[in-house]
């Protein structure tokens, strides 16, 4: 019987070839197929209509780039066994499988205090039991417990395949050219020295452009004020439902596993919670929002109708905190315009802060290997564009309010 082979046509990279049985096991699993129904960029399509690609798209793209990186490193004499290759490919394929509905927008809102990476690892262990331990090595690499640290760095690091794909893919689908990076050039410049992933001297400028593109994408796309407003509206809708939740209120019931998480603020990652969580996707949340748009609670219905018709919160972002007097002024304006109670104002007028760091000096360094064999951090080379001051987090303050 001939070996199974599948070719996937990807709009960013072209053809992606799948041949290994373990990869097919992952791709065909319901937990993985669920990623088709979770948008990669959450509510960004409210601003960039083309940004409707899924977590599955991103996962496959990162898988493809991992294959290219392995091929490049092998061509430079770096030993990577076939077992290590399959393991690191499976790990990158599963790196985001723990994301819930609307990804980062609802991070920790359903299964509280559980990060998506913890969920991803729990799902990997679940799949590993189903496939008889074939993911043992993938899990060791994913958790950085393998003796070749560069394999983990290809999954999670400043130059990992996750970031390489999401910048390329998100800029492609959103149409924002500032996010375009020379991923193929960077892959060609990757190397390994003393077990650590590094970049060759010739790749410095490509990496600098990559880091700056990442910063620009965060402020122009991921943390765009209208995207932020839409995502905060979704959060406030769920908060409102939780505050008025009554299991006897049939108008709040969605007949999905969302009902369980609304009624039981789950904080522990049990097998039962995992199964329930993995049955949820964006469609369940949107179905709920449409249902709640006719709920007797005026505030909940208002928030849902506003979101569905894209009458979003007005969002203002600045470099300094908003004063209490300004916040109070806006709350009074809302009370005059809408039939709301004072205790309901935190749902429709609130402040917060957003931060982004260009380069993590402590945790995720990019090491440059020079021709003479010396190694330097990219922020310390002569005439470096990425200087230490760029490792300081940029913090911006926002106010969201009903308008």
């Amino acid at each position: 019987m001939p070996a199974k082979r599948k070719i996937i046509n990807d709009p960013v990279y072209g053809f992606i070839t799948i041949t290994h049985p373990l990869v097919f096991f992952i791709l065909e699993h319901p937990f993985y197929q669920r990623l088709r129904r979770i948008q990669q960029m959450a509510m960004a399509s409210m601003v960039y209509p083309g940004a409707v690609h899924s977590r599955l798209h991103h996962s496959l793209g990162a898988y493809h780039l991992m294959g290219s990186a392995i091929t490049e490193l092998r061509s430079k004499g770096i030993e990577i066994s076939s077992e290590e290759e399959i393991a690191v490919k499976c790990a990158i394929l599963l790196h985001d499988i723990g994301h819930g509905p609307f990804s980062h927008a609802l991070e920790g809102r359903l299964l509280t205090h559980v990060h998506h990476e913890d969920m991803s690892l729990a799902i990997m262990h679940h799949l590993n039991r189903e496939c008889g331990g074939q993911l043992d090595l993938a899990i060791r690499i994913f958790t950085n417990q393998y003796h070749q640290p560069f394999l983990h760095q290809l999954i999670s690091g400043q130059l990992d395949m996750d970031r390489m794909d999401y910048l390329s893919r998100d800029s492609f689908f959103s149409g924002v050219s500032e996010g375009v990076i020379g991923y193929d050039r960077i892959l060609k410049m990757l190397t390994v020295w003393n077990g650590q992933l590094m970049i060759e001297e010739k790749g410095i400028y490509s990496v600098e452009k990559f880091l700056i593109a990442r910063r620009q994408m965060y402020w122009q796309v991921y943390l765009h004020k209208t995207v932020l407003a839409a995502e905060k509206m979704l959060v406030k809708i769920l908060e409102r439902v939780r505050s008025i939740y009554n299991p006897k209120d049939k108008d709040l019931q969605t007949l999905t596993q969302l009902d369980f998480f609304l009624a039981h603020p789950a904080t522990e990652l049990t097998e039962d919670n995992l199964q329930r969580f993995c049955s949820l996707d964006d469609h369940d949340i949107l179905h709920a929002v449409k249902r709640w748009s006719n709920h007797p609670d005026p505030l909940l219905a208002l928030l849902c109708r506003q979101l569905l018709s894209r009458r979003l919160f007005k969002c203002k972002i600045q470099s300094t905190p908003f004063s209490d007097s300004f916040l109070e002024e806006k709350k009074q304006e809302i009370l005059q315009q809408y039939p709301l109670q004072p205790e309901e104002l935190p749902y429709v007028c609130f402040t917060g802060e957003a931060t982004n760091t260009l380069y993590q000096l402590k945790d995720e360094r990019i090491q440059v290997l020079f021709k003479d064999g010396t190694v330097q951090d990219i922020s310390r080379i002569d005439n470096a564009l990425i200087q230490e001051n760029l490792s300081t987090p940029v913090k911006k303050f926002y106010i969201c309010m009903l308008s």
Side-chain angles (χ1 to χ4, degrees):
M1 184 177 178
K4 190 174 180 181
R5 184 170 181 263
K6 184 178 285 291
I7 296 175
I8 299 169
N9 194 351
D10 180 74
V12 178
Y13 308 122
F15 294 114
I16 300 174
T17 304
I18 309 291
T19 57
H20 198 277
L22 185 55
V23 176
F24 277 112
F25 164 76
I26 293 171
L27 294 182
E28 293 166 355
H29 198 281
F31 287 180
Y32 185 82
Q33 286 297 313
R34 159 184 161 274
L35 297 182
R36 291 183 183 276
R37 304 185 297 277
I38 297 177
Q39 286 194 16
Q40 169 74 8
M41 295 175 68
M43 306 297 283
S45 59
M46 288 282 192
V47 180
Y48 303 98
V52 292
H53 53 300
S54 71
R55 283 276 159 192
L56 184 137
H57 289 135
H58 164 58
S59 171
L60 288 172
Y63 169 88
H64 170 75
L65 291 181
M66 183 64 79
S68 299
I70 295 297
T71 300
E72 189 60 41
L73 292 175
R74 279 177 172 164
S75 73
K76 296 177 181 179
I78 295 150
E79 292 186 8
I80 301 171
S81 68
S82 57
E83 291 78 13
E84 289 171 335
E85 177 186 3
I86 292 303
V88 76
K89 282 183 173 181
C90 288
I92 195 65
L93 203 58
L94 293 167
H95 79 283
D96 269 349
I97 198 169
H99 269 297
F102 289 101
S103 302
H104 293 286
L106 297 182
E107 179 94 22
R109 299 290 176 172
L110 299 178
L111 194 54
T112 55
H113 307 302
V114 176
H115 193 270
H116 77 269
E117 289 184 352
D118 297 325
M119 178 61 77
S120 293
L121 182 57
I123 293 173
M124 289 174 74
H125 281 297
H126 179 94
L127 297 181
N128 195 33
R129 290 191 293 270
E130 287 192 12
C131 68
Q134 295 182 69
L135 290 172
D136 281 344
L137 182 54
I139 291 172
R140 287 171 61 196
I141 292 172
F142 183 79
T143 55
N144 200 20
Q145 295 177 349
Y146 191 59
H147 70 277
Q148 296 281 36
F150 76 90
L151 292 172
H152 172 77
Q153 291 159 1
L154 286 169
I155 299 167
S156 179
Q158 282 281 357
L159 291 176
D160 61 40
M161 300 305 105
D162 172 29
R163 296 180 187 185
M164 209 83 70
D165 178 78
Y166 78 63
L167 282 175
S168 300
R169 189 167 302 277
D170 294 353
S171 63
F172 177 88
F173 280 96
S174 65
V176 177
S177 60
E178 285 82 357
V180 175
I181 60 169
Y183 67 86
D184 46 354
R185 166 79 175 173
I186 295 174
L187 290 176
K188 291 286 184 185
M189 295 297 106
L190 291 178
T191 190
V192 174
W193 185 258
N194 292 332
Q196 302 291 324
L197 187 68
M198 298 192 181
I199 195 81
E200 293 177 353
E201 180 182 357
K202 294 179 292 184
I204 290 174
Y205 301 118
S206 296
V207 171
E208 288 179 337
K209 183 180 185 301
F210 163 79
L211 291 171
I212 292 170
R214 185 164 166 252
R215 164 71 70 87
Q216 289 179 316
M217 283 292 286
Y218 265 87
W219 291 120
Q220 188 167 337
V221 179
Y222 306 131
L223 295 175
H224 185 288
K225 65 177 184 178
T226 309
V227 175
L228 187 64
E231 293 181 352
K232 294 303 175 184
M233 282 188 82
L234 197 56
V235 169
K236 290 299 179 181
I237 287 170
L238 290 183
E239 287 181 2
R240 182 59 180 174
V241 172
R242 274 217 171 104
S243 72
I244 64 172
Y245 196 83
N246 183 338
K248 296 180 181 179
D249 183 352
K250 295 192 178 299
D251 290 323
L252 281 181
Q253 293 178 8
T254 66
L255 303 182
T256 69
Q257 291 298 336
L258 182 58
D259 295 337
F260 172 83
F261 290 106
L262 292 173
H264 307 86
T267 58
E268 294 184 9
L269 190 48
T270 63
E271 178 65 20
D272 180 58
N273 287 342
L274 185 148
Q275 292 283 353
R276 292 176 184 274
F277 186 85
C278 288
S279 74
L280 291 173
D281 53 53
D282 291 6
H283 297 275
D284 296 297
I285 302 296
L286 287 176
H287 158 73
V289 171
K290 289 174 70 176
R291 180 170 172 78
W292 296 331
S293 66
N294 295 309
H295 192 273
D297 180 71
L299 175 57
L300 177 59
L302 174 65
L303 289 172
C304 291
R305 286 197 299 267
Q306 296 278 98
L307 182 62
L308 290 171
S309 58
R310 201 188 176 277
R311 295 197 296 272
L312 306 175
F313 286 154
K314 182 179 180 181
C315 185
K316 183 179 180 181
I317 298 179
Q318 61 186 38
S319 57
T320 56
F322 291 91
S323 66
D324 292 339
S325 60
F326 180 79
L327 180 61
E328 186 60 32
E329 176 188 334
K330 294 303 177 183
K331 286 182 177 180
Q332 292 305 316
E333 290 177 5
I334 291 172
L335 281 178
Q336 293 173 11
Q337 188 176 355
Y338 293 92
L340 298 173
Q341 300 301 316
E343 62 270 17
E344 296 172 335
L345 284 172
Y347 292 102
V348 295
C349 188
F350 52 90
T351 58
E353 57 186 55
T355 59
N356 176 240
T357 304
L358 175 61
Y359 182 61
Q360 300 279 3
L361 275 175
K362 291 183 179 179
D363 304 326
E364 303 170 344
R365 296 189 159 202
I366 296 177
Q367 305 279 24
V368 180
L369 179 63
F370 289 85
K371 292 178 182 178
D372 62 3
T374 60
V375 174
Q376 274 189 289
D377 188 274
I378 195 170
S379 66
R380 299 185 181 279
I381 62 175
D382 293 339
N383 302 314
L385 184 61
I386 312 302
Q387 298 289 353
E388 287 193 35
N389 63 328
L390 290 180
S391 68
T392 304
V394 174
K395 181 184 292 188
K396 294 188 179 182
F397 301 87
Y398 64 82
I399 182 170
C400 290
M401 50 198 161
L402 205 55
S403 62

